[in-house]
Amino acid sequence: MILGFVVLYLLLSVGIGLAAARRVHTAKDFAVAGRSLPLPVVIATVFATWFGAEAVLGISATFAKEGLRGVVADPFGSSLCLILVGLFFAPRFYRLNLLTVGDFYRLRYNRLVEVLCAVCIAASYLGWVAAQFKVFGLVLNVVTDGAVSQPVGMVIGAVIVLVYTTFGGMFSVAILDFVQISVIMGGLLYIASVVSGLVGGVGVVLDHASAAGKLDFFPPPTFAAWVPFIGAWITMMLGSIPQQDVFQRVTSAKDERTAVRGSVLGGGLYFCFCFVPMFLAYAATLVDPALFATLLNQDSQLVLPTLIMQHTPVLAQIVFFGAVLSAVMSCASATLLAPSVMLSENVIKGMLPRLSDGEFLRVMRLVVVVFAAAVLAVALTSSSSIYTLVVNTYSVTLVTAFVPLAAGLFWSRATTQGALCAFAAGLITWVGLELFGSSDSLWHPQLTGFFLAAVGMIVGSLLPQKIGTCEA
């Protein structure tokens, strides 16, 4: 019965996505939905930016093991990112009327900065989308009682998301986000009410979590504890700002005011709702302490699916997996589309300047397919947890793309030379510390790379200029 529902739901989602694809006629329609989305749809699609695999299974599993301190990057850092984008970046992004965030690097600096930042931003999505595919595999493995292996489930999930994303672009993503947000929110709230009844109420879970130290947020007052804590926080909070999926959601709105309000409200909604899966995962440890203690040590990502399958009625199981699939599909489609559009616009288009709009649309769709294949390879070969895959993706954008973006928008003296110095200093420092630094070193790779990128921007911009701007 559960498997039948899952199949029906997947087919329905693909049908809705393909129906929305009929509105795609130009590259602009494909990339930013023709800049026509109303506020409710913008809120839904901003919420869906990150409410995917990591929010339902990754964040919840990490919280059950490490408490609030362990999830400082997501949802605390990620939701603050969306709010900061709405307050400070959305108005400027929207007025620029660009197709991608990579276009800004070309217009503000030059073609070289555009290509370097676009490649780094696109590469950062490999882990993020791979996490969504891994959850697809996990869900199909659970609902088929092992008949579909997790690798086969990843392939099936990748094909499903690829079909409607390739044809419908941002229109399909936005419409499905709006439909799926109701399934996600209604489903998880219903599951929370069922699970709270199993453990004696919400208060019992909160009291137990508090007594166990799971609600302690700030680390001990030592330098060694605070450095990685701050590093994890700003990696998501600032490193996510240059992301193309965030840019697309802002610029897909019908007007500037909708872009600002949609980003702020969507970010706030995301922060609040992430606590529902956290509550569910910790409640599981009270329902069957022995079983879930074992799962936390072996594979904490199975805590929630196991709780639902073994301790709730069939209706709750159907609702839960519908909510999980909604979250994964809405997140995966957008994060698959964003880097593909950026690679097409900011790397390939410059090599093929004579493309017509129709030809460029076909190139975008082809890149979506190729990028999906690369992501699937990462998902099939990576042994990292869902939460780790997601959090680690934004290290590279923090140390390479954020400083040139922020300085270009808010510092009139930022130059192309400064942007290249920032990019080189941040990337070399981060890679060097990741490869040769020790895990207990106070030289945190992302923080140090970010700091030196800022220094590189200031010094490179104020020194005599040896590198000028140039158009693509």
Side-chain angles (χ1 to χ4, degrees), residues 253-452:
K254 65 178 182 178
D255 53 49
E256 182 180 320
R257 186 165 179 260
T258 300
V260 173
R261 293 169 65 198
S263 185
V264 173
L265 293 173
L269 182 63
Y270 173 80
F271 177 76
C272 295
F273 215 77
C274 277
F275 286 91
V276 178
M278 284 191 264
F279 165 80
L280 292 173
Y282 195 77
T285 64
L286 305 185
V287 173
D288 191 338
L291 171 62
F292 291 108
T294 302
L295 281 178
L296 283 175
N297 293 325
Q298 294 178 350
D299 188 353
S300 57
Q301 294 163 170
L302 288 173
V303 167
L304 260 184
T306 303
L307 169 70
I308 300 303
M309 290 298 289
Q310 296 188 7
H311 295 280
T312 62
V314 172
L315 177 60
Q317 296 172 22
I318 292 174
V319 170
F320 173 77
F321 287 111
V324 171
L325 288 173
S326 293
V328 173
M329 291 173 70
S330 61
C331 189
S333 56
T335 49
L336 180 60
L337 176 66
S340 303
V341 168
M342 175 165 273
L343 288 174
S344 303
E345 167 74 5
N346 303 115
V347 179
I348 298 174
K349 189 177 181 180
M351 302 175 185
L352 304 169
R354 298 182 183 276
L355 288 176
S356 67
D357 189 75
E359 291 170 335
F360 184 49
L361 178 58
R362 287 194 290 273
V363 168
M364 282 185 177
R365 285 171 166 157
L366 177 61
V367 175
V368 170
V369 175
V370 174
F371 194 82
V375 168
L376 182 58
V378 172
L380 291 170
T381 56
S382 175
S383 59
S384 298
S385 70
I386 294 166
Y387 190 81
T388 301
L389 275 172
V390 169
V391 172
N392 287 344
T393 59
Y394 295 112
S395 299
V396 64
T397 49
L398 175 68
V399 301
T400 60
F402 174 74
V403 170
L405 177 67
L409 284 171
F410 300 107
W411 189 36
S412 61
R413 299 186 65 179
T415 66
T416 298
Q417 180 173 284
L420 290 172
C421 288
F423 183 94
L427 183 63
I428 292 170
T429 303
W430 173 64
V431 171
L433 289 176
E434 286 285 359
L435 293 177
F436 304 111
S438 60
S439 58
D440 58 349
S441 173
L442 294 181
W443 294 97
H444 189 272
Q446 292 101 285
L447 269 181
T448 309
F450 169 65
F451 174 74
L452 289 182

Side-chain angles (χ1 to χ4, degrees), residues 11 15 22 81 110 185 216 228 253 264 275 301 304 334 362 375 469:
L11 291 174
R22 292 182 299 176
C81 163
N110 68 3
M185 298 181 71
D216 296 338
V264 173
F275 286 91
Q301 294 163 170
L304 260 184
R362 287 194 290 273
V375 168
T469 60

Side-chain angles (χ1 to χ4, degrees), residues 61-419:
T62 303
F63 171 76
K65 292 178 67 175
E66 304 175 27
L68 284 181
R69 196 174 298 153
V71 295
V72 60
D74 193 12
F76 288 90
S78 54
S79 55
L80 275 174
C81 163
L82 295 173
I83 293 171
L84 288 174
V85 166
L87 294 176
F88 301 105
F89 290 85
R92 293 172 181 260
F93 276 173
Y94 198 87
R95 290 171 208 158
L96 290 172
N97 194 23
L98 304 175
L99 200 63
T100 72
V101 68
D103 291 341
F104 171 81
Y105 294 107
R106 181 183 69 251
L107 296 177
R108 183 63 174 82
Y109 302 114
N110 68 3
R111 168 71 175 164
L112 179 59
V113 178
E114 172 194 19
V115 172
L116 291 174
C117 289
V119 170
C120 285
I121 292 170
S124 72
Y125 282 92
L126 288 170
W128 182 277
V129 190
Q132 314 309 315
F133 289 172
K134 284 174 78 76
V135 171
F136 241 118
L138 187 150
V139 169
L140 292 180
N141 177 258
V142 171
V143 299
T144 61
D145 198 22
V148 175
S149 67
Q150 290 197 29
V152 172
M154 292 181 206
V155 175
I156 294 172
V159 171
I160 290 170
V161 173
L162 182 62
V163 168
Y164 66 81
T165 305
T166 302
F167 288 99
M170 193 60 194
F171 265 123
S172 290
V173 169
I175 297 302
L176 275 173
D177 284 348
F178 185 69
V179 172
Q180 290 166 339
I181 191 174
S182 60
V183 178
I184 294 168
M185 298 181 71
L188 288 181
L189 289 175
Y190 168 69
I191 296 297
S193 68
V194 173
V195 172
S196 66
L198 297 175
V199 295
V202 175
V204 173
V205 178
L206 294 179
D207 290 342
H208 194 280
S210 178
K214 300 296 183 181
L215 301 186
D216 296 338
F217 180 63
F218 294 107
T222 64
F223 193 70
W226 272 89
V227 167
F229 179 81
I230 294 174
W233 197 335
I234 72 166
T235 296
M236 286 290 283
M237 182 174 67
L238 301 182
S240 304
I241 289 176
Q243 292 297 324
Q244 173 62 16
D245 58 324
V246 175
F247 179 89
Q248 280 180 265
R249 282 158 169 74
V250 168
T251 54
S252 295
K254 65 178 182 178
D255 53 49
E256 182 180 320
R257 186 165 179 260
T258 300
V260 173
R261 293 169 65 198
S263 185
V264 173
L265 293 173
L269 182 63
Y270 173 80
F271 177 76
C272 295
F273 215 77
C274 277
F275 286 91
V276 178
M278 284 191 264
F279 165 80
L280 292 173
Y282 195 77
T285 64
L286 305 185
V287 173
D288 191 338
L291 171 62
F292 291 108
T294 302
L295 281 178
L296 283 175
N297 293 325
Q298 294 178 350
D299 188 353
S300 57
Q301 294 163 170
L302 288 173
V303 167
L304 260 184
T306 303
L307 169 70
I308 300 303
M309 290 298 289
Q310 296 188 7
H311 295 280
T312 62
V314 172
L315 177 60
Q317 296 172 22
I318 292 174
V319 170
F320 173 77
F321 287 111
V324 171
L325 288 173
S326 293
V328 173
M329 291 173 70
S330 61
C331 189
S333 56
T335 49
L336 180 60
L337 176 66
S340 303
V341 168
M342 175 165 273
L343 288 174
S344 303
E345 167 74 5
N346 303 115
V347 179
I348 298 174
K349 189 177 181 180
M351 302 175 185
L352 304 169
R354 298 182 183 276
L355 288 176
S356 67
D357 189 75
E359 291 170 335
F360 184 49
L361 178 58
R362 287 194 290 273
V363 168
M364 282 185 177
R365 285 171 166 157
L366 177 61
V367 175
V368 170
V369 175
V370 174
F371 194 82
V375 168
L376 182 58
V378 172
L380 291 170
T381 56
S382 175
S383 59
S384 298
S385 70
I386 294 166
Y387 190 81
T388 301
L389 275 172
V390 169
V391 172
N392 287 344
T393 59
Y394 295 112
S395 299
V396 64
T397 49
L398 175 68
V399 301
T400 60
F402 174 74
V403 170
L405 177 67
L409 284 171
F410 300 107
W411 189 36
S412 61
R413 299 186 65 179
T415 66
T416 298
Q417 180 173 284

